[in-house]
Amino acid sequence: MIDVIVVGAGPTGLMLAAELRLHDVHVVVLERLTGPTGESRGQGLHARSVEVMDQRGLLERFLAVSEKFQVGGLFGGIATAWPEGLDTAHPYGLATPQPVTERLLEERAAELGAEIRRGCEVVALSQCEAGEEAGVSVGLADGTRLRSRYLVGCDGGRSTVRKLAGIGFPGEAATVETLLGEMEVTEDPEKVAAVVADVRRTQLRFGVGPEKDGVCRVVVPADGVGEDRTSPPTLADFRQRLRAVAGTDFGVHSPRWMSRFGDATRQAERYRAGRVLLAGDAAHIHPPTGGQGLNLGVQDAFNLGWKLAAEVQGRAPEGLLDSYHRERHPVGAAVLDHTRAQITLLGTDPGATALRALYTKLMGFEEVNRYMTGMITALDIRYDVGEGHALLGRRMPDVELRDGRRLYSLMHQGRGLLVDRTGRLSVAGWADRVDHVVDGSEDLDVPAVLLRPDGHVVWAGEDQRELLGRLPRWFGAPAR
């Protein structure tokens, strides 16, 4: 029997597969498509996702194929200066096309031993909780049946897994639609830039910008919402809408890919139904304003991977796997709310225009800009891990240790970590799951911190008895 089947080989599914393999979990990724689409809907990684890649030793791979950017706010099309002094060693985002992100994550998952099967469409599933037979039975379109102990749907907004598991997906249907694609443009680049600048004074859902090799990324409002959202638009659709919005179609031709997206906003009622879990767009959909979708999914996987691995291996404390929903569902709900607000700001009516002018002024204040940047980049996330020190539930930045190493360099294997300035503490009994480094880094203003595999603080202090009370909650019973 397979330990975990992951359905969907997008960034979320591939990140999850890699996280599970760090703990020697047998993972099979099933992808309906026979190959990558080449579509670049997600355009990069925000600061928290940059930290995530660094925590797993992947950042250098991304830096080699990406460009750094620093745009504060990133809210409703309002770009401000990057705020000073953010609590991170990586105060930037990375412009990385989604196909590149998928390639790097697939390479990582494969290196760790994940099995990725393409051309495998899931059409049925059932669950069983009866003793040794407990697991999930999966039926594929070609008649193949597979069994696994757990299954995670990372198969997008129209998730088959979510539907088959009977998980509700309440929210609002799309009210506006936008065409998105990459194609060549014959018009002079200077004229294109001038027209775009003029149109974007009132229409922020519009843009024509260079990508590479003479190809431009074209974004233009559609004429209403199409009845068949599954069919891609045509080149004629793009030309017609460009002429209607900008007065010219810029001579677009030779499209690489074309798609459409709406402002539908929905969230799964629950992220777990028995042995079936959801992550990424299968759990939440929202407009792409602010560029959070891909990042939200990758961070779902980062939260879930170590918890699911502990459950599979029989060492998870009670409630650990359920904490995935408790922690990530509120994060998803918050993203849905502020993308709703951003869509309002992108409107063209007088009320939206006035509201955008007000927000532009407000985001000129450093404190507001810092708040908005922390919200969009997910640097401000704090999980409820109990009462105590102010650091509890927060992510630990990549501080420099006294011996010159960086904190994140100690987290590549996805284990827990005790950073101990006192030299008096011990993780005996959990050394197979938690590393212990004694270091007097002045960047830490507490005697010691205990970090989960995802880098969030679950204990801070110097009392060994307190530490022994926290270790079982997150890492299970001590080894005999």
Side-chain angles (χ1 to χ4, degrees), residues 4 39 79 112 117 125 128 200 245 250 256 301 315 351 357-358 368 390 392 444 470:
V4 178
E39 293 186 8
L112 293 172
R117 303 182 188 178
L125 67 82
C128 175
R200 282 184 60 81
V245 175
F250 303 106
R256 302 293 173 85
R315 53 182 174 79
L358 174 61
V368 176
L392 290 183
L444 288 176
R470 285 298 179 110

Side-chain angles (χ1 to χ4, degrees), residues 90-117:
H90 302 288
Y92 56 84
L94 289 179
T96 315
Q98 184 169 330
V100 176
T101 296
E102 291 182 0
R103 174 175 60 80
L104 294 177
L105 293 179
E106 181 169 354
E107 289 172 357
R108 174 62 168 169
E111 288 169 4
L112 293 172
E115 183 181 351
I116 301 167
R117 303 182 188 178

